[in-house]
Structure formats: structure tokens, C-alpha cells
Amino acid sequence: MTKPELLAPAGNLEKLKTALIYGADAVYFGGKNFSLRAFGDNFTREDILSAVEFTHSMGKKIYAAVNIFARNDDFDALIDYLKFLDCAEVDAVLVSDLGVFSLVKEFTNLEIHISTQANVTNWRAAKFFHDLGASRIVLARELSREEILSVKENCTAELEIFVHGAMCISYSGRCWLSKYLTGRDANRGACTHSCRWKYNLVEETRPEENFSVGEDNRGSYVMNSKDLCLLPHVDKIIQSGVASLKIEGRMKSVNYVAGVVKVYRAAIDSYCANPEEFKIRDEWLAELDKVAHRPYTTGFFIGDGKSTEIYETSKPSRSANFLGIVRAFDAETMTATIEQRGKFELGNRVEFLQPQGKTFSQTLTSMRDENDTEITAAPHAQQTVKIKVSEPVEIWSLMRE
Ligand code: SF4
């Protein structure tokens, strides 16, 4: 059995490092233009060079999303950007548009992965792209397990599937809703997530009156999808022979990236080490509950994809607040240096999610600022705080409450 790749989102350099340190085998990012997250932090050219260097120094892979649907006016800038990515030695580019595909072939030696945005739903489409020169196909999220197996049987390209994260209610993002309602085009990376909005009904002759179509006074979120979570089926996914398990979320937090990557890393390693004894651990499910998410669904992988909407609210929930990142640890004094991200104070009960070690909890009993002055609270963003820890703690651990 070949162990599949665990592929994580890198919304910025810090999230990229977090993903790799918490166990991702590869990461994907978008540049300032031409990827489908126009409002994410995204990477400058300088960032990309640093990201490639960091990723390769860990022996891991980095892919660039260039998956917009291009217009004729984009070509000159695209050629320049693609040549830069080639020189920067990213390991592959993700494309969905055949025009962009042709530019990659003509002007670079880059490996090509077909983005889920291209909506590959059958083995003939997968084989067609493979024959054209794509090495990997990211399958549409709308496929069942049986359909994925059928593509695998009939096409020798590497296959990648989404295993975790938010989903579009529209066909893998090929959606006009945002453009129609706000002028911001999802196919150019500018989606306003209009499917998450609360919708009412208006009768033609009474435009001033909104009629709630929900069953309660919260209204109705008729197009609001649950989040995908295929952790319970990770064994079946590995058995199916897909090459890469992908986590969605370039716009999500460091806490999300660390927690989700750590769980899927542990599950993949556990299954591959001993398939017969494999079982889903409660602590993995508990961790996935701590990161920002909507109610989970297995989407189309098992069943028919029905019951995937949430009508009550479009807001994600989480059960852990992210307070800071451990930047240094002094074993002699058992002091951790924290880069603060959320407010905390003496007496708070906190936990540490570690890249490798077990999560542990403690109460905050001693805090000092960067000048070694005793403090009782850390109210300022990105403040440096030194705290006493009850156990040795790994650098890059996340402190949460
Ligand atoms: S509006 Fe919703 S369904 Fe459409 S592209 Fe945006 S997130 Fe996807």
C-alpha cells in the first residue's frame, strides 16, 4: 500500500509553516493574482521564494493555484507569473482553464495538476487531461466512493480528493451567484459567499415586505452547505489508491490548519502502520470539533449528498479559542515564550496543541512581558509573553482555551 500525500492549505507564510510542521506532506498556495482566493492574504513573489525554500528544506512539496478562468487580457501577466513560478521551482501548478493549461505547456516545464474547479467527474475527462499532459487530477467533490474507484481503475493519473473543509453548494465552485448579486466573480477568486446569506421571500407587488421562508425567526439559509469531513472514511480512501488527500481552507486560521492537519496526519499514519487494527480515535474527532467549522457531512462520498444544508445559521462554530503560538521554550526554567493572538490572564485554564506531542492542559500561574516584568493579563495583539509551563512544550505549539 502506498501512503497517500496529505495536502494542506497555505493562506500565508505562517500557515504554510504551520501546516508543514504539523505533518502535511505538501501545501498549496495562491499568488496575488490568478488563484481563486482574491481576498486571502496570498503570496507576493518574495513570499513564494521563501515558501519554496522552507518547504523544500523539509523535503516536502509546494503547489501554486493558478485556477482562475482567464480572459484574453490576462495572458501577458499570466505568462510572466508562470515563468516566475517555474524559476522558483514550485512542484506543480493547479489549473482549471484550458487556456492557462496551454500557457503552462508552452512557456514552462511545470508539472500540471487539474484543479477541482475543472469539474472532473468521470474517468474519460480524467484520462483526457492526463493524455494532454496533466500528472494529477483533483476530482470534483460531487463524486461517490464508487465513482472515484472507477476513475482510478480507468486512468493512470494521480488522483487527489478533498477530505475536509468548507464546500460550495454550487457545482464545485462553478457558480454565478456571487457575480450576479454583487458583481464579484467566484470564477475570478472574488466570491462573496452569497450562498451563506440569509434569504427571504418577496412578493412581486409588495417589494417592501420580506417574508421569512424559514421555520423559525432566524430565517432560512437555503443554500448554506455543511462542511466536509471524511475522517471516518479515511481507511476506505487510502484503500481506493488516491494519491493525495486535500484539506480545504486557505482563508482559515492557523488554529484550523494545525488541528486538522495533525488529525489527518495521525489517522493516515495509524492506518498505514496497522490497517487491521485501525479505528477512528475520539481525540481526533474532538480536535476537529475545536477548529472553526459548520456541522460536518460526508458529502457525496457516502450516500447521495442529500441533507448537506444547514438552515439555522451560516456562522461556523468552534470549541477552542486560539490564544498564542509558542515561539521558544527554556527547559531549565520551564518557561515558554508566547506570541499572543487572543486575550488571556492569570488563572485561565489553557491547553497546548503540539506539532508532535500530546495535547496537555494547565492553569496560567505566572506571566511576564518581554522586559521580564510580571503581568497579570496579556491584552495586546502579538504581545510577547513568557509563561511557566507544567510540561516541556514544543515550539510552534498553539496555546488555546
Ligand atoms: S456563492 Fe457559494 S456556492 Fe457560489 S462559488 Fe461562492 S461559496 Fe461557492
Side-chain angles (χ1 to χ4, degrees), residues 21 23 47 60 68 77 82 90 94 127 189-190 199 210 228 232 266 291 297 312 315 329 354 359 363 397:
I21 287 165
D47 291 339
K60 301 190 175 191
I68 59 156
L82 290 168
V90 300
L94 278 142
K127 187 171 180 311
Y199 289 93
N210 281 325
L228 182 68
V291 301
T297 172
E312 292 80 15
K315 289 199 177 77
F329 169 64
Q354 307 194 81
T359 301
T363 302
S397 295

Side-chain angles (χ1 to χ4, degrees), residues 117 167-179 185-187 190-196 199 223:
Q117 201 76 3
M167 292 199 296
C168 274
I169 202 71
S170 180
Y171 206 114
S172 275
R174 284 289 280 269
C175 168
W176 200 244
L177 193 61
S178 174
K179 172 78 171 161
D185 188 351
N187 298 301
C191 178
T192 53
H193 303 281
S194 314
C195 59
R196 306 280 181 202
Y199 289 93
M223 295 174 280

